[in-house]
Amino acid sequence: MKKIVGLLLCFILFSQNIHANSTSVIIQNRRTNVTPVKVEVNGNNLQSKFAPFAYENRTLVPIREITESMGANVAWNNQNKTAQISLGDKKVLLQINSRAVYINGKKKLIDKGSIPVFASYPKENETKTMVPLRFLSEALDFNVEWNQEKQQASISNIKTVSVMKTKDNQVSSESKPSEKTNNKAVDLRGKVDASDQVEPEKREISKKVKAKGPVTVVIDAGHGGKDSGAVSSVDSSVKEKDLTLQVTSRLGDLLRSKNYEVIETRTRDEYIGLAKRAEIANENQAEIFVSIHFNSSNSGLASGIEILYAPEDKVKIKSHEQVHLAKALHDELKKATGSTMRSMKKRPDLAVLRWTEMPAALCELGFVSSPEDMKNITQDSYIEKLAQGVANGIERYVNNYVEFE
Ligand SMILES: [Zn+2]
C-alpha cells in the first residue's frame, strides 16, 4: 500500500511539474499549451528565450537559433514562406504549414506533427518560425537522441563539422558519426568537440591578453555569397551580407589608421564557411576576433543592438575571460550610436565564438526587420557610427585588457 501511495504521490508531483512547466503559444490563431523541451547541440544547451517545445509529440525549435547553433545557413523567402537551410552539401527546403519538404531537390512528405509553423510567444510578443528538430537534424546528418526523463533532445553533428572543415581544407574525410573515437580525432583537429564543455581540469584563465607587437584584430563580415543572411522585410533589397561588409570595410580603415593589424575574413561578396572564419583568426594568432551581423525578427517589433560572446567556462578552447570585450563593445556602441542596447548574451553554441581561441564577440548591429532600425542602418552616416562604436570598443578593450610584452 505504501508503495502505491508513494507511486501515486510521485505521479501527482510529476504531473504538477509538467503542468507548471507548460507554456502558452499561439499556433494558427489557436492558443495552445505546450511543454518546453531542452535541446542540446553538440553538448551545448540551445540558448533562446523562445523555448523549443513538444507539439503533437514532435519537438519544434526556432529556426534561427537552431540553424545558427548547427552552423547551418538559412535563407528565408517571405513571399512563399519557405526556408532553405544549407549545411555542407545538404540543402533542405521547408515551407510553413506544409508537409512537403525538399532534400537536395528531392520531394518528401513529413508527418503532420512535424509541419513547420509560426508560433507566437505572447509573453515576448514575438512570432517565431518553428521547425521540426528530428526531421531537420536527420536531413542534415545529425544524430538525434531523446532523453525522456530530462525531456531533452540532444543532437550532434560530428560528421558534418569534419566534412565542413575538410571542405575548407580540400581534404577528403570519411568519418562516420557512429565511431566516437574516430570523431574525436577528425573533429576539427581536437579544437571543436562534442565534449568541449568545461571539465574539472586545471586551466589557466587570464583576464589580460599578452601581445608582442601590434594587436591583430580579425574582423568578420557575417554571411556572404550564396548566404545572404537576413533579408529585410521592410525593403527586400537590403541584405545582411551587404550591411556587414559595409561596416567591416569602414571598421578596417578606422583600425588601420590606429596602427592595428587588421585581417578581414572577407572583403567582397563571397561565401566563407564558419569553420574557415575561426581558422583564419586562429592561424594568424589574432588577439581579438569581432564578427559583425545584423538581426531579424518575424514580428518586426524587435529593435536595437546586442552583443554575443562565448563565456570561457563553457568553451574549453578559451583561455581568457571573454565578457570584457563584449562589455567594451556594448558600452562604446551605445555611446557612438545612441541606439537601444538590448543585451549581452552568452552564446557558447555559436561557431565563430566557440571555435576562436582568442577573446571574441559577435555584434548584432540592429534589426533589418525593424522599420525603426532600418531608417538608421540604410544610411552611410549611421554605418560610420556603428564602425566607430566597434572601433572604440576594441580600443577600449586593448587599453584595459591587452598587455604588451
Ligand atoms: Zn547573421
Side-chain angles (χ1 to χ4, degrees):
M1 188 63 195
K2 236 184 193 167
K3 226 179 190 173
I4 293 170
V5 172
L7 269 174
L8 199 66
L9 196 66
C10 271
F11 178 75
I12 290 166
L13 286 174
F14 187 62
S15 12
Q16 273 177 345
N17 190 28
I18 293 249
H19 185 74
N21 273 335
S22 88
T23 181
S24 166
V25 293
I26 297 161
I27 299 172
Q28 288 175 339
N29 297 324
R30 270 187 22 229
R31 192 175 273 264
T32 314
N33 278 327
V34 291
T35 313
V37 165
K38 280 192 204 128
V39 174
E40 223 181 54
V41 182
N42 282 342
N44 286 308
N45 283 328
L46 180 73
Q47 309 212 346
S48 171
K49 57 177 175 169
F50 310 99
F53 54 77
Y55 180 65
E56 299 187 349
N57 288 324
R58 298 286 183 279
T59 300
L60 294 180
V61 283
I63 190 167
R64 193 178 172 81
E65 285 82 347
I66 190 70
T67 51
E68 259 181 21
S69 62
M70 290 167 112
N73 292 308
V74 57
W76 173 252
N77 181 324
N78 205 31
Q79 213 161 25
N80 311 326
K81 305 274 180 279
T82 56
Q84 172 149 290
I85 299 157
S86 40
L87 182 60
D89 46 16
K90 281 282 174 79
K91 275 192 174 51
V92 179
L93 187 79
L94 297 159
Q95 188 172 28
I96 293 293
N97 298 330
S98 166
R99 281 188 62 199
V101 297
Y102 294 83
I103 304 176
N104 287 359
K106 254 190 155 171
K107 188 173 174 177
K108 265 187 94 173
L109 288 181
I110 47 177
D111 43 49
K112 208 172 141 266
S114 290
I115 290 176
V117 291
F118 286 136
S120 298
Y121 289 74
K123 226 168 74 194
E124 284 81 12
N125 198 8
E126 235 184 283
T127 301
K128 301 290 281 185
T129 302
M130 306 297 288
V131 293
L133 180 68
R134 179 170 288 274
F135 165 74
L136 186 64
S137 303
E138 288 175 351
L140 295 177
D141 290 337
F142 277 58
N143 283 327
V144 187
E145 275 169 39
W146 172 250
N147 184 321
Q148 179 65 28
E149 200 188 341
K150 289 191 195 163
Q151 292 281 302
Q152 175 175 295
S154 304
I155 66 169
S156 71
N157 75 326
I158 306 303
K159 184 186 172 192
T160 317
V161 166
S162 66
V163 166
M164 204 164 92
K165 194 65 181 175
T166 48
K167 222 179 145 191
D168 287 345
N169 291 334
Q170 314 289 315
V171 187
S172 75
S173 161
E174 291 179 343
S175 67
K176 296 185 192 81
S178 51
E179 288 172 20
K180 264 239 145 111
T181 44
N182 187 16
N183 286 342
K184 280 208 167 167
V186 229
D187 191 13
L188 284 187
R189 286 167 259 147
K191 285 182 180 168
V192 176
D193 187 287
S195 60
D196 195 16
Q197 289 284 343
V198 159
E199 291 144 21
E201 79 172 273
K202 284 199 187 87
R203 192 159 57 102
E204 228 174 273
I205 303 287
S206 56
K207 211 167 175 174
K208 299 218 170 180
V209 174
K210 292 205 163 80
K212 288 195 180 80
V215 172
T216 302
V217 183
V218 168
I219 50 180
D220 174 44
H223 312 277
K226 64 179 183 186
D227 168 22
S228 61
V231 176
S232 173
S233 44
V234 182
D235 171 356
S236 63
S237 71
V238 178
K239 296 185 179 116
E240 185 183 358
K241 67 170 183 180
D242 301 323
L243 292 170
T244 58
L245 201 54
Q246 284 172 28
V247 174
T248 54
S249 125
R250 198 60 209 105
L251 175 61
D253 292 345
L254 285 170
L255 291 173
R256 282 188 190 99
S257 74
K258 292 180 176 182
N259 295 323
Y260 286 92
E261 188 103 41
V262 177
I263 298 169
E264 282 125 320
T265 53
R266 68 178 179 98
T267 51
R268 55 192 177 90
D269 186 15
E270 65 179 322
Y271 176 78
I272 296 177
L274 296 170
K276 183 75 193 169
R277 294 169 193 255
E279 192 181 288
I280 290 171
N282 293 344
E283 282 182 352
N284 286 289
Q285 301 192 340
E287 276 81 25
I288 296 168
F289 177 92
V290 175
S291 189
I292 301 297
H293 284 254
F294 285 80
N295 229 328
S296 180
S297 82
N298 288 337
S299 68
L301 293 172
S303 68
I305 295 173
E306 56 192 33
I307 313 293
L308 319 176
Y309 69 101
E312 65 286 351
D313 60 336
K314 292 280 187 291
V315 182
K316 208 158 76 179
I317 193 172
K318 302 281 189 189
S319 53
H320 298 98
E321 290 179 9
Q322 297 291 305
V323 68
H324 310 298
L325 176 61
K327 180 82 170 78
L329 290 164
H330 176 277
D331 294 354
E332 290 300 326
L333 273 163
K334 184 176 180 165
K335 251 195 243 168
T337 65
S339 289
T340 321
M341 300 304 290
R342 290 165 64 83
S343 57
M344 296 202 302
K345 282 185 183 159
K346 295 180 182 180
R347 290 297 299 272
D349 53 319
L350 292 184
V352 291
L353 298 179
R354 176 180 176 72
W355 295 341
T356 43
E357 288 162 348
M358 67 291 310
L362 188 151
C363 308
E364 295 272 8
L365 293 176
F367 282 76
V368 295
S369 49
S370 153
E372 187 193 329
D373 280 1
M374 276 289 282
K375 272 186 221 152
N376 289 328
I377 58 190
T378 48
Q379 285 178 36
D380 287 344
S381 58
Y382 187 78
I383 293 288
E384 174 74 30
K385 283 183 190 170
L386 288 171
Q388 191 68 59
V390 176
N392 293 349
I394 291 170
E395 181 95 317
R396 174 167 167 163
Y397 177 77
V398 170
N399 288 340
N400 291 310
Y401 294 99
V402 175
E403 265 172 6
F404 293 90
E405 290 186 317

